[in-house]
């Protein structure tokens, strides 16, 4: 479009098709004719410091030159970039895309125009093309070198270590030091050399694309990421710096951010001579409007910054390019400047809908090749970004797929188009306070962005994060520690920066083409991915079942580490900010969890390194002895025995925490507030039991390995020895585990009930909870029943803010009888419960449900008869502890905001996670303590592709199954889930031929009108997901779900 001279581009030299670059035209529209006339040559400095000359007509607008550069690079997402140059007053300004170039660049022969990143999205996973992420990584490298990306020494060393990994590959100390001596990435680099080398050692096996992705993940968390400072003064004359970002306007003092004006708070932006004015929306509690004034060096500086603000607001906040204003009849007032180009939403939509072909490329200093799919499919957030290879002046750029996530979102603010009145209220996108993204990701995206918005009914949408201060991010083994995410191929979850996972099957064995980014992890894309690409990747996986069992250890270990971090990092951080927890309790909890976190971080690294060798992904590329996992398991389980003292303390810590909560309102408030954080996706006390649960998982995995291997196999002996060790540990802790699970469940139920005193007493055991209909004078009314070993409670859901359940009555089990009474009352599945003082008639939703209640109630009656006598009265006349419903804020409905769906659960104001009580209420089913115990054993994590009923594309997500629920993440390194799907009441089946799925390893979940398809990477993982999900769905339905072998067509 912009290049008149027909010169071969790096892409065309590699056989790439012509590319329309960053055209902002809608489909079907033709670009305006390029102005004819005399050509002028303009030098463009690329992000890798090479220079290219472009010839464009003198009268051509700036857009023609930008399009020419993007075409040259085969860059699809060129809208994030811009061209900057020094004007005649030596002020660096952006090239206006609507004005003729000759009117902006006075002496083109003497000016070098820089091609740089202009718009930095809040999340790099919103960059859907690998090439785009690569160019962003080059920008970060440039900002580091120029001192614009200020950060501490650890962050700088970590960033440089990823750059080094991308440029020279795996760690070799001599090569590292030689490379660092020749390349200066940051001022005073020598002082950081040892740290850089140490960090680089952790990245073994990481591809250049993964390194770029990791680099952006770290950089985006830095305060100065994407910030360009503009000197100014406030009204008092204090020197400050202004900057603009995707979220709004920022104020810095030096490199420290001292204020921020979110787009949602800004009503109008304007400037008058040297004064830059921000008019804020009126405060809720006051009637006046506040206008802030900043003084800049000159009118030109002020206008330049105002233009940048207008462009940022339009790009990140509007749905489409703002329309030009009508020309005034007599005279104009103010500036006619407006944003030109596609908005971020339009870019994301364009990449999802457009079709592009694969292009091979080479990376500078890298031996790894990558394939970039510009095709219709969504590219993953982790696809490898091609590097510009420059030999002299030539650049060979290749692109790799990228996946899209949604527009960042969130606040509404003026677009600031007018000199005086920049109000953009009418033009703004009608968004909520946070990103409105559909949790599910792209066809192959591990991430879940907003690809198929159609059926996100049952998914909990990610609540806005920006408004809540985030706890310090735990430095886990995942981000810096785990070098090559074992799923680099499949499970690596390439969605987010830290994660790099490839779509389903991985490209792992093929080192040269192992681009973990080729997976759509985080960015949800709507586009379907190529079938042959899928199959090709699947074939590269090791075929041994033992490999997939080992991979399950890796994926579940990642989740386990995240669960430990909830205590060691997030909860500890919350506790440290308030003096509400006694030192004795702190010393009982945190010192007994931190050694476990450190141990399992190293354990995960060892597993991932072994998997990398098994897949042939590392430089070693050795097989044979590395195609086993028993030796790693044995070594680490023996190491775990040294930590047994800490494991024994966890039950004591749980009891002490609950005792402390009962005795301290401040501690209770602290824990309640912490449970409202998204990172605490399960009840807090559940995380305290995770180490005990994990031992059972190791035991199950080793049992499967021993069953799989013949006794003659080289790995059998180690697996059997490891199984013996872990069995001994589980046996020692089994009694404690059962006792603590009951203790934890009683305390969890206590939060859901109003009107009960002393629910948690020695000897009381929980048996079953669920929904039954109680027959009364008004007919059948839904009630929630709670069965313990001494009493049966029945409740109704109260009309409180937290929707707790109010206890209406109790029936002591001592002396109770149960009899079926369908004929007597004419009600299907009817039971009469006759106590010594009261009798009630209840009806179940189905015959299987009634049978389960009869069996458990009869067992509980037998237990009560064998006890010492009738249970003490514990029905209270008022809510216990004199708590108001607001104080007991913690019971959110199960399906976290499945908005639009009639069958979805109601959203509660406070959020404590998916409580089984509410799920059972809405799904009209029940769950027993036995079911909870089975659920503890059946936990699973990994990548799945998900498809909605009416969508075409498959979206790659990191999925965690626990607590009868699927939790969906962009990637395994995310700190909180995007959405959750409680499974009680769902049916698990295999798609029929009529559903036109035509894929291997697909299972179907449906409840009423909600239908989801999930696709696993292999037969083993398919059967494992079927097994664990069936354990949850069978609690509500006895229907048999056919196995893969029974009904799946290979």
């Amino acid at each position: 479009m912009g290049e008149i001279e027909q010169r071969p581009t790096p892409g065309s030299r590699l056989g790439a098709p012509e590319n329309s670059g960053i055209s902002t035209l809608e489909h079907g529209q033709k670009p305006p004719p390029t102005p004819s006339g005399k050509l002028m040559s303009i030098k463009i400095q690329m992000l890798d410091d090479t220079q290219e000359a472009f010839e464009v007509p003198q009268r051509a607008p700036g857009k023609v030159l930008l399009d020419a550069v993007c075409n040259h690079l085969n860059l699809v997402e060129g809208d994030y970039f811009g061209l900057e140059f020094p004007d005649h007053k030596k002020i660096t300004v952006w090239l206006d895309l609507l004005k003729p170039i000759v009117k902006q660049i006075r002496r083109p022969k003497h000016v070098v125009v820089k091609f740089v990143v202009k718009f930095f999205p809040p999340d790099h996973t919103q960059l859907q093309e690998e090439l785009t992420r690569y160019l962003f990584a080059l920008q970060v490298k440039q900002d580091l070198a120029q001192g614009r990306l200020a950060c501490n020494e650890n962050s700088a060393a970590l960033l440089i270590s990823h750059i080094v990994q991308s440029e020279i590959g795996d760690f070799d100390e001599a090569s590292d030091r030689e490379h660092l001596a020749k390349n200066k990435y940051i001022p005073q680099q020598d002082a950081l050399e040892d740290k850089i080398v140490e960090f680089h050692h952790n990245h073994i096996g990481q591809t250049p694309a993964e390194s770029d992705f990791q680099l952006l993940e770290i950089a985006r968390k830095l305060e100065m990421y994407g910030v360009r400072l503009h000197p100014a003064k406030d009204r008092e004359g204090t020197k400050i710096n202004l900057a603009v970002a995707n979220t709004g306007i920022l104020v810095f003092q030096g490199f420290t951010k001292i204020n921020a004006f979110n787009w949602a708070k800004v009503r109008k932006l304007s400037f008058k001579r040297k004064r830059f004015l921000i008019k804020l929306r009126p405060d809720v509690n006051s009637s006046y409007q506040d206008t802030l004034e900043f003084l800049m060096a000159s009118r030109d500086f002020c206008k330049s910054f105002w233009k940048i603000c207008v462009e940022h607001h339009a790009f990140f906040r509007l749905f489409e390019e703002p329309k030009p204003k009508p020309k005034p009849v007599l005279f104009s007032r103010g500036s006619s400047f407006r944003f030109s180009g596609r908005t971020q939403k339009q870019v994301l939509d364009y990449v999802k809908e457009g079709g592009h072909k694969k292009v091979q490329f080479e990376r500078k200093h890298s031996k790894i090749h990558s394939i970039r799919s510009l095709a219709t499919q969504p590219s993953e957030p982790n696809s490898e970004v091609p590097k510009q290879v420059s030999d002299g002046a030539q650049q060979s750029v290749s692109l790799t797929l990228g996946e899209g996530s949604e527009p960042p979102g969130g606040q509404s603010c003026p677009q600031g188009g007018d000199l005086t009145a920049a109000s953009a209220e009418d033009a703004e996108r009608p968004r909520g306070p946070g990103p409105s993204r559909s949790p599910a990701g792209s066809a192959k995206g591990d991430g879940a962005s907003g690809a198929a918005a159609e059926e996100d009914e049952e998914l909990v949408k990610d609540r806005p994060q920006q408004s809540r201060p985030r706890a310090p991010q735990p430095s886990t083994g995942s981000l810096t520690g785990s070098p090559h995410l074992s799923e680099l191929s499949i499970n690596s979850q390439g969605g987010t920066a830290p994660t790099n996972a490839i779509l389903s099957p991985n490209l792992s064995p093929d080192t040269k083409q192992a681009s973990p980014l080729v997976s759509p992890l985080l960015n949800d894309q709507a586009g379907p991915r190529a079938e042959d690409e899928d199959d090709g990747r699947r074939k590269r996986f090791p075929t041994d079942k033992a490999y997939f069992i080992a991979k399950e250890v890796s994926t579940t270990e990642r989740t386990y580490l995240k669960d430990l971090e909830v205590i060691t990092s997030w909860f500890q951080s919350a506790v440290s900010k308030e003096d509400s927890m006694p030192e004795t309790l702190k010393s009982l909890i945190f010192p007994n969890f931190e050694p476990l976190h450190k141990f399992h971080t190293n354990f995960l690294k060892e597993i991932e390194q072994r998997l990398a060798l098994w897949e042939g992904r590392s430089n070693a590329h050795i097989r044979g002895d590395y195609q086993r996992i028993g030796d790693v398991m044995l070594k680490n389980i023996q190491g775990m025995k040294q930590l047994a003292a800490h494991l024994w303390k966890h039950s004591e810590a749980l009891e002490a925490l609950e005792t402390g909560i009962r005795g301290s309102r401040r501690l209770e408030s602290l824990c309640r507030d912490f449970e409202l954080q998204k990172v605490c996706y399960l009840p807090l006390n559940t995380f305290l039991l995770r180490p005990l649960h994990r031992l059972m998982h190791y035991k199950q995995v080793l049992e499967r390995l021993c069953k799989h291997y013949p006794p003659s196999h080289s790995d059998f002996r180690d697996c059997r020895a490891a199984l013996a060790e872990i069995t001994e540990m589980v046996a020692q802790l089994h009694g404690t585990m059962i006792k603590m699970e009951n203790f934890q469940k009683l305390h969890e139920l206590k939060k859901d009930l109003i009107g009960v005193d002393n629910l948690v007493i020695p000897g009381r055991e929980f048996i079953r909870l669920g929904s039954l209909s109680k027959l009364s004078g008004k007919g059948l009314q839904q009630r929630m029943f709670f069965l313990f070993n001494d009493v049966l409670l029945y409740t109704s859901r109260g009309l409180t803010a937290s929707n707790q359940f109010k206890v209406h009555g109790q029936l002591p089990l001592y002396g109770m009888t149960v009899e079926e009474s369908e004929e007597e009352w004419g009600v299907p599945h009817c039971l009469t419960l006759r106590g010594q003082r009261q009798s009630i008639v209840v009806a179940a939703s189905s015959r299987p449900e009634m049978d389960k209640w009869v069996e458990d109630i009869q067992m509980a009656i037998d237990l009560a008869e064998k006890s010492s006598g009738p249970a003490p009265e514990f029905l209270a006349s008022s809510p216990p502890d004199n708590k108001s419903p607001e104080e007991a804020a913690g019971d959110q409905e199960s399906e976290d905001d499945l908005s639009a769906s009639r069958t979805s659960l109601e959203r509660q104001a406070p959020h404590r996670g998916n409580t089984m009580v509410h799920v059972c209420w809405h799904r009209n089913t029940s769950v027993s303590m036995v079911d909870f115990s089975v659920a503890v054993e059946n936990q699973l994590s990994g990548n799945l592709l998900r498809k909605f009923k009416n969508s075409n594309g498959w979206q790659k997500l990191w999925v965690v199954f626990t607590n009868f629920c699927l939790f969906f993440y962009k990637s395994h390194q995310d700190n909180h889930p995007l959405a959750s799907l409680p499974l009680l009441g769902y049916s698990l089946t295999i798609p029929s031929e009529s559903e036109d799925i035509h894929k291997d390893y697909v299972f179907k979940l449906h409840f009423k009108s909600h239908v989801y398809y999930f696709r696993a990477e292999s037969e083993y993982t398919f059967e494992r997901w079927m097994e664990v999900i069936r354990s949850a769905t069978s609690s509500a339905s006895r229907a048999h779900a056919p196995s893969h072998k029974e009904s799946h067509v290979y």
Side-chain angles (χ1 to χ4, degrees):
M1 227 167 96
E3 261 181 286
I4 305 305
E5 195 181 317
Q6 297 298 320
R7 296 183 300 156
T9 66
S12 62
R13 287 195 294 273
L14 293 170
E18 284 299 319
N19 176 0
S20 60
I22 61 161
S23 171
T24 60
L25 299 173
E26 296 298 326
H27 293 301
Q29 284 185 305
K30 294 182 180 179
T34 303
S36 57
K38 189 177 178 182
L39 300 179
M40 62 178 176
S41 179
I42 297 179
K43 286 178 286 187
I44 304 292
Q45 182 168 318
M46 301 296 185
L47 281 164
D48 62 355
D49 294 330
T50 59
Q51 287 189 6
E52 293 281 345
F54 292 86
E55 292 193 348
V56 293
Q58 286 184 338
R59 292 183 296 164
K63 183 181 181 320
V64 170
L65 180 58
L66 181 59
D67 282 352
V69 177
C70 293
N71 283 334
H72 175 73
L73 296 175
N74 283 330
L75 178 60
V76 176
E77 295 175 296
D79 303 77
Y80 291 102
F81 300 84
L83 299 171
E84 65 176 12
F85 64 96
D87 66 5
H88 63 287
K89 294 183 180 179
K90 303 302 180 186
I91 299 173
T92 300
V93 295
W94 292 101
L95 187 71
D96 191 321
L97 300 185
L98 297 180
K99 285 186 178 179
I101 299 171
V102 72
K103 288 188 176 181
Q104 302 181 69
I105 305 177
R106 301 275 178 92
R107 304 175 65 192
K109 288 183 180 180
H110 302 282
V111 172
V112 176
V113 178
K114 292 183 179 180
F115 176 75
V116 293
V117 176
K118 186 174 185 178
F119 301 111
F120 289 80
D123 189 346
H124 61 292
T125 59
Q126 293 176 337
L127 304 175
Q128 314 196 17
E129 282 282 316
E130 286 187 22
L131 175 58
T132 314
R133 286 190 293 272
Y134 166 63
L135 295 174
F136 267 70
L138 289 181
Q139 182 70 66
V140 170
K141 177 181 170 183
Q142 198 175 93
D143 289 349
L144 265 178
Q146 295 172 0
R148 288 198 290 197
L149 186 57
C151 57
N152 61 37
E153 290 186 353
N154 280 337
S155 297
L158 187 55
L159 289 167
I160 295 171
S161 70
H162 283 294
I163 296 173
V164 173
Q165 175 71 21
S166 173
E167 292 185 351
I168 67 173
D170 285 348
F171 170 80
D172 178 86
E173 186 164 356
S175 302
D176 279 17
R177 295 193 184 276
E178 181 183 351
H179 185 75
L180 290 171
K182 294 178 182 177
N183 298 273
K184 294 300 178 186
Y185 297 104
I186 194 172
Q188 293 85 42
Q189 177 176 295
D190 294 344
L192 300 180
E193 187 170 311
D194 291 338
K195 279 188 180 180
I196 296 169
V197 172
E198 180 186 349
F199 284 136
H200 186 207
H201 187 266
N202 294 328
H203 307 330
I204 293 176
Q206 193 167 276
T207 65
E210 290 178 281
S211 298
D212 290 343
F213 207 80
Q214 300 277 14
L215 178 76
L216 295 178
E217 170 65 17
I218 299 159
R220 75 183 179 93
K221 296 173 185 174
L222 300 176
E223 198 162 66
M224 296 301 294
Y225 173 65
V227 169
R228 300 292 180 264
L229 298 177
H230 299 260
K233 293 181 181 179
D234 62 13
R235 282 180 174 173
E236 285 73 40
T238 306
K239 290 184 179 180
I240 49 101
N241 289 301
L242 296 179
V244 62
N246 58 82
T247 55
I249 297 171
L250 313 176
V251 184
F252 287 83
Q253 204 158 38
F255 289 110
T256 304
K257 185 168 70 174
I258 59 173
N259 210 341
F261 303 104
N262 198 289
W263 292 131
K265 297 178 182 176
V266 179
R267 181 169 176 268
K268 183 168 105 177
L269 294 174
S270 58
F271 71 93
K272 188 172 183 180
R273 298 186 180 87
K274 296 195 292 185
R275 291 182 299 142
F276 181 75
L277 307 172
I278 304 174
K279 181 173 284 189
L280 300 177
R281 296 184 186 279
D283 189 279
V284 229
N285 302 317
S286 62
S287 56
Y288 66 91
Q289 296 182 352
D290 195 6
T291 300
L292 302 171
E293 183 178 309
F294 299 93
L295 191 66
M296 306 193 81
S298 68
R299 181 185 183 277
D300 290 337
F301 275 110
C302 197
K303 183 175 182 180
S304 174
F305 181 64
W306 174 78
K307 284 184 175 181
I308 297 169
C309 293
V310 171
E311 291 181 313
H312 271 74
H313 173 265
F315 182 77
F316 289 108
R317 301 282 298 153
L318 305 186
F319 278 127
E320 57 188 19
E321 178 182 357
K323 295 177 182 177
K325 295 185 177 181
K327 292 185 179 180
V329 180
L330 297 176
F331 55 88
S332 63
R333 182 184 174 192
S335 172
S336 60
F337 175 77
R338 67 181 177 88
F339 170 73
S340 171
R342 292 182 299 197
T343 64
Q344 189 191 27
K345 182 181 185 302
Q346 288 176 312
V347 176
L348 296 175
D349 292 345
Y350 172 76
V351 177
K352 290 176 186 177
E353 296 166 7
H356 310 283
K357 296 187 179 178
K358 301 175 186 177
V359 178
Q360 273 194 333
F361 66 87
E362 286 183 47
R363 283 173 167 267
K364 198 173 184 179
H365 305 304
S366 176
K367 299 177 182 178
I368 300 181
H369 290 68
S370 202
I371 291 183
R372 166 198 180 190
S373 163
L374 295 171
T376 44
Q377 57 206 69
S379 74
E380 359 206 58
N382 310 334
S383 306
E384 269 198 8
V385 177
K387 253 194 180 180
Q388 294 169 321
V389 177
S390 64
D391 289 326
Q394 285 188 349
Q395 291 178 331
S396 164
V397 185
S398 70
L399 328 176
T400 46
L401 266 171
E403 243 163 25
S405 29
E406 314 171 13
Q411 305 101 345
S412 70
C413 149
Q415 96 179 353
D418 257 336
L419 166 66
T420 53
S423 168
E425 298 174 16
D426 297 335
E428 280 202 307
R429 313 184 199 169
R431 305 189 176 185
S436 65
R437 60 184 344 170
S438 152
S442 50
K444 32 175 179 184
D446 220 57
S449 342
E454 19 182 87
E455 291 193 39
D456 57 356
E457 34 196 9
E458 290 243 53
L459 295 176
V460 182
K461 294 184 181 175
D462 192 0
R463 292 178 293 284
Q465 256 172 299
Q466 301 169 348
S467 57
R468 174 190 303 149
R470 297 178 59 171
Q473 275 224 354
S475 72
T476 76
S478 347
L479 180 62
T480 59
S482 70
H484 26 99
L485 306 157
S486 76
E487 329 250 294
L488 157 48
S489 8
I490 257 199
N491 233 339
S492 166
Q493 136 102 60
T496 22
T499 7
N500 288 311
I502 306 185
L503 183 39
S504 68
N506 48 0
L507 316 176
S508 81
D510 190 318
T511 19
K512 291 190 176 180
Q513 286 183 316
S515 159
L517 299 184
V518 186
S519 74
L521 232 155
L522 266 194
N523 287 322
D524 245 32
Q525 294 206 349
R529 73 187 256 133
E531 309 307 335
D532 51 351
E533 216 176 318
D534 255 354
D535 298 337
R537 289 183 189 162
R538 183 169 283 119
K539 291 172 187 172
R540 295 193 183 100
F541 265 129
T543 54
D544 187 2
K545 180 179 177 180
Y547 164 80
F548 291 105
I549 296 176
K551 183 173 243 187
E552 182 183 330
V553 178
S554 168
T555 56
T556 52
E557 191 74 7
R558 287 174 179 162
T559 300
Y560 175 51
L561 267 179
K562 282 292 181 187
D563 287 348
L564 288 178
E565 285 164 12
V566 171
I567 301 297
T568 61
S569 180
W570 298 96
F571 187 51
Q572 187 169 12
S573 172
V575 167
S576 66
K577 293 174 184 175
E578 297 186 30
D579 186 23
S580 55
M581 180 180 284
E583 289 299 326
T584 52
L585 184 53
K586 289 182 188 177
S587 62
L588 186 58
I589 296 176
F590 303 119
N592 286 307
F593 274 83
E594 287 162 352
L596 293 179
H597 182 268
K598 182 178 179 182
F599 176 85
H600 286 279
T601 298
N602 294 325
F603 184 19
L604 176 60
K605 287 181 186 178
E606 288 189 41
I607 297 171
E608 291 182 330
Q609 288 166 358
R610 176 57 55 85
L611 284 170
L613 293 171
W614 201 329
E615 296 167 350
R617 264 192 292 123
S618 77
N619 289 352
H621 205 72
I622 300 173
R623 302 200 170 208
D625 284 347
Y626 293 99
Q627 293 185 341
R628 58 197 179 103
I629 195 67
D631 57 330
V632 177
M633 295 295 292
L634 177 60
K635 172 192 166 187
N636 283 280
I637 286 172
Q638 288 172 340
M640 273 180 234
K641 296 186 78 173
Q642 309 304 315
L643 301 173
H646 297 294
L647 294 172
W648 282 103
K649 289 285 186 180
H650 291 170
S651 58
E652 187 181 339
L654 176 59
E655 292 178 329
L657 178 62
E658 294 298 345
T659 302
I661 288 173
R662 282 200 304 273
S664 167
R665 279 285 178 179
R666 291 181 64 194
L667 180 58
E668 180 192 31
S669 175
L670 168 70
C671 294
R672 184 180 65 237
D673 291 344
F674 181 74
E675 284 192 328
L676 298 181
Q677 294 187 26
K678 290 181 287 185
V679 71
C680 191
Y681 67 102
L682 297 172
L684 174 61
N685 52 21
T686 301
F687 292 103
L688 295 176
L689 297 180
R690 275 299 194 243
L692 302 180
H693 298 161
R694 188 61 179 155
L695 298 179
M696 299 170 65
H697 302 158
Y698 293 138
K699 181 173 179 285
Q700 287 183 334
V701 166
L702 287 164
E703 285 172 345
R704 283 198 292 275
L705 281 168
C706 290
K707 185 176 179 181
H708 167 68
Y709 285 136
S712 58
H713 194 281
S714 59
D715 203 24
F716 179 77
R717 185 174 179 180
D718 285 340
C719 288
R720 187 173 58 181
L723 177 60
E725 298 274 7
I726 198 68
T727 301
E728 180 185 348
M729 291 183 70
V730 170
Q732 291 173 353
L733 293 166
H734 185 66
T736 300
M737 202 178 307
I738 293 175
K739 177 185 172 185
M740 286 301 103
E741 284 176 3
N742 180 69
F743 181 80
Q744 181 267 331
K745 189 55 59 184
L746 290 175
H747 277 282
E748 185 181 343
L749 294 177
K750 182 181 175 183
K751 297 175 186 177
D752 284 317
L753 298 175
I754 293 178
V756 170
D757 286 326
N758 303 320
L759 179 65
V760 185
I761 61 172
R764 174 161 293 139
E765 295 177 14
F766 164 69
I767 297 176
R768 178 176 290 277
L769 66 85
S771 172
L772 294 172
S773 296
K774 178 176 175 289
L775 187 63
S776 67
K778 297 179 181 179
L780 289 172
Q781 295 182 312
Q782 185 180 9
R783 294 286 182 263
M784 275 299 291
F785 282 74
F786 298 83
L787 176 63
F788 302 93
N789 63 338
D790 58 347
V791 70
L792 176 68
L793 298 181
Y794 57 94
T795 69
S796 65
R797 194 172 70 168
L799 300 176
T800 64
S802 56
N803 279 342
Q804 290 173 288
F805 289 81
K806 182 178 180 180
V807 177
H808 285 289
Q810 64 169 341
L811 282 78
L813 298 182
Y814 188 82
M816 179 186 284
T817 60
V818 183
E819 48 188 68
E820 296 185 24
S821 50
E822 290 188 26
E823 295 182 2
E824 181 181 353
W825 298 101
V827 177
H829 323 307
C830 183
L831 298 173
T832 300
L833 306 177
R834 301 187 188 279
Q836 292 183 336
R837 292 176 300 173
Q838 179 186 7
S839 296
I840 61 172
V841 179
V842 297
S845 58
S846 64
R847 183 75 198 186
E849 192 68 21
M850 182 185 79
D851 292 341
K852 288 188 281 187
W853 275 106
V854 170
E855 182 181 350
D856 283 352
I857 291 174
Q858 193 58 60
M859 175 190 70
I861 291 173
D862 294 341
L863 291 173
E865 297 289 347
K866 293 175 184 176
S867 66
S868 56
E873 185 79 13
F874 73 138
L875 183 62
S877 57
S878 62
D881 302 328
N882 299 316
K883 296 179 188 175
S884 67
E886 290 75 15
E887 282 182 294
D891 311 307
Q892 173 164 30
E893 297 278 20
S894 76
E895 231 139 297
D896 306 30
D897 187 16
L898 314 180
S899 46
S901 160
R902 291 182 183 178
T903 58
S904 56
L905 306 180
E906 301 171 14
R907 187 180 184 85
Q908 307 302 317
H911 173 76
R912 184 168 64 86
N914 294 309
T915 70
M916 282 303 101
V917 180
H918 288 94
V919 177
C920 291
W921 173 267
H922 287 280
R923 302 277 170 82
N924 200 19
T925 186
S926 68
V927 63
S928 69
M929 190 63 200
V930 174
D931 295 325
F932 281 109
S933 299
V934 171
V936 163
E937 298 176 12
N938 288 301
Q939 296 185 15
L940 195 59
S941 307
N943 284 319
L944 287 176
L945 297 177
R946 189 195 63 188
K947 178 184 175 308
F948 293 114
K949 179 172 59 177
N950 297 322
S951 66
N952 296 322
W954 291 87
Q955 303 165 335
K956 189 171 186 183
L957 298 168
W958 177 258
V959 183
V960 173
F961 171 78
T962 186
N963 203 36
F964 301 95
C965 191
L966 292 178
F967 294 92
F968 301 102
Y969 296 76
K970 295 175 182 178
S971 90
H972 70 76
Q973 290 186 333
D974 283 0
N975 292 316
H976 61 83
L978 289 173
S980 60
L981 180 65
L983 295 179
L984 288 177
Y986 267 78
S987 297
L988 174 67
T989 58
I990 302 296
S992 63
E993 287 295 329
S994 62
E995 290 172 273
D996 200 28
I997 296 298
H998 305 309
K999 295 284 184 183
D1000 287 341
Y1001 316 131
V1002 176
F1003 58 89
K1004 171 184 172 183
L1005 283 170
H1006 62 97
F1007 173 73
K1008 297 186 179 179
S1009 62
H1010 307 301
V1011 178
Y1012 304 96
Y1013 299 99
F1014 292 92
R1015 182 175 164 201
E1017 66 189 2
S1018 67
E1019 183 173 4
Y1020 172 79
T1021 51
F1022 168 84
E1023 290 176 347
R1024 282 291 293 139
W1025 280 106
M1026 291 283 285
E1027 178 186 349
V1028 298
I1029 291 176
R1030 189 181 293 123
S1031 72
T1033 57
S1034 62
S1035 298
S1037 169
R1038 301 280 177 97
H1040 171 63
S1043 71
H1044 176 69
K1045 292 183 178 178
E1046 288 171 354
S1047 60
H1048 191 75
V1049 179
Y1050 283 71

